[in-house]
Amino acid sequence: MAEEGERDAGTAAPAPAPDLQDGEHVGDALRAIRVARGLSVADIASLTRIRPAYLEAIEALHLQDLPSRPFTIGYIRAYAQALGLPGDVAIARFKADDPDRNDALRPPVGVRRMADPRLRLMMLAGLMILSAILVWNLVRRGTLNEEGRRPASIVATAPVEAAPTGAMVLGAPLPAPVESNAPPPYLTPGLEAELSAALPEGLIATEDPTLLDLGETFAPRGRVHGAAGRVVLQARRPTTLIVWGPDRSAWFARQLAAGEAYRTDPVPGLSFETVEAGVIAVYLDGRARGVLPAGITRGSALTRPPPA
């Protein structure tokens, strides 16, 4: 019986070789297979060109000591292929041990990140430019709103003149302007004959201190209205002159400035109307005949010879 026991012990079956499904995780399985085949970490590093520190981190499954997940998957595939094992099976075991958490790529371990100082300066300059644009827009909008609320000035400032010294002399008030297209005045039937009989037969010559000498000759001192003729009426100061035609239509109606004149021929039935006495001088054939009285003067009175 003892001999049978010794024979059974000598012919016992060898222990099965480890595979990728053994151990607590894929790293434990890879280490067990490597040890079973009598290989060291340095041997695997020489075959895969992977740093020994990364290989030891894979065997311990210390992912914090490894690069990002894609690099770790590549290292596990190379480790399994160096042992003659299918890389896809090793990767499937790794994903089962550590499911994908969609981690962002991590920089390689041992590489120091150096920030470019120029990038920080560019960002600071861009921020300053944006701030300046924002401040300018706010100030501009406030200025426009202030101008919109401010009432527009509609009064023009005239230059200040020096006040005159001494007594101030006021002239006679100017008459109201007469419309050039004013209709002829309405005359009561029978009144025209009475007015014609009441018109002066000659020109006044002594009632106003502004009268000119009867020997004076006409001298243009402004615009001369009307056509060529023997009779000239010249304003000695601003006044209004109306010339009525024989048909009682207004031939001329105007506010004359000092020196302006009206020239015509002594047409029968022509009459002249003024509002001030002694303001409009009358010239016949270039020589003074006197001044018009206030009211209406017949043209025939201007051509009569002066009284002896």
Side-chain angles (χ1 to χ4, degrees):
M1 295 296 293
E3 293 179 357
E4 291 181 359
E6 292 177 359
R7 186 170 56 250
D8 293 339
T11 59
D19 59 14
L20 291 174
Q21 303 304 324
D22 294 337
E24 297 181 0
H25 47 73
V26 66
D28 195 9
L30 290 173
R31 180 176 61 250
I33 296 173
R34 174 182 61 78
V35 172
R37 296 186 180 182
L39 298 175
S40 64
V41 174
D43 295 334
I44 302 300
S46 178
L47 293 173
T48 59
R49 305 295 181 181
I50 300 175
R51 294 170 57 180
Y54 290 168
L55 295 175
E56 293 174 355
I58 290 174
E59 291 180 351
L61 205 61
H62 291 168
L63 300 181
Q64 66 274 12
D65 297 333
L66 293 170
S68 60
R69 187 178 183 87
F71 286 98
T72 301
I73 291 175
Y75 293 164
I76 293 175
R77 182 191 300 273
Y79 194 160
Q81 291 176 349
L83 296 175
L85 302 174
D88 295 339
V89 177
I91 294 173
R93 173 68 188 279
F94 169 71
K95 291 182 178 181
D97 296 335
D98 185 59
D100 186 7
R101 296 184 299 273
N102 295 322
D103 293 338
L105 291 177
R106 291 178 293 176
V109 177
V111 177
R112 197 166 107 190
R113 297 185 61 185
M114 300 289 292
D116 190 351
R118 295 176 299 177
L119 181 60
R120 182 177 299 177
L121 292 177
M122 292 174 62
M123 294 177 61
L124 181 60
L127 182 60
M128 293 178 63
I129 292 174
L130 291 177
S131 301
I133 293 175
L134 179 61
V135 171
W136 184 87
N137 287 332
L138 293 176
V139 172
R140 179 61 177 168
R141 180 175 298 178
T143 304
L144 292 177
N145 293 339
E146 183 66 23
E147 291 179 355
R149 292 191 296 268
R150 186 182 307 163
S153 178
I154 59 174
V155 180
T157 57
V160 180
E161 299 180 356
T165 57
M168 180 178 296
V169 179
L170 299 178
L174 297 178
V178 179
E179 296 289 340
S180 60
N181 57 352
Y186 173 77
L187 295 179
T188 305
L191 182 62
E192 182 176 0
E194 295 181 8
L195 292 177
S196 299
L199 290 176
E201 295 297 329
L203 304 178
I204 61 175
T206 58
E207 290 84 350
D208 194 280
T210 62
L211 299 184
L212 70 168
D213 296 334
L214 294 182
E216 183 178 330
T217 59
F218 171 70
R221 296 194 302 273
R223 182 177 179 183
V224 179
H225 304 275
R230 296 177 58 199
V231 179
V232 177
L233 306 178
Q234 186 179 41
R236 299 179 63 80
R237 62 174 181 262
T239 187
T240 300
L241 174 65
I242 304 176
V243 180
W244 298 101
D247 57 352
R248 300 302 298 165
S249 63
W251 284 15
F252 179 81
R254 188 179 183 89
Q255 179 81 18
L256 299 178
E260 284 191 293
Y262 177 78
R263 188 193 304 270
T264 184
D265 275 325
V267 179
L270 199 65
S271 60
F272 306 93
E273 182 179 357
T274 183
V275 296
E276 296 181 83
V279 178
I280 296 182
V282 179
Y283 296 88
L284 179 64
D285 296 329
R287 300 188 64 81
R289 290 293 308 276
V291 292
L292 291 180
I296 299 177
T297 303
R298 290 180 298 180
S300 59
L302 305 183
T303 58
R304 293 176 184 175

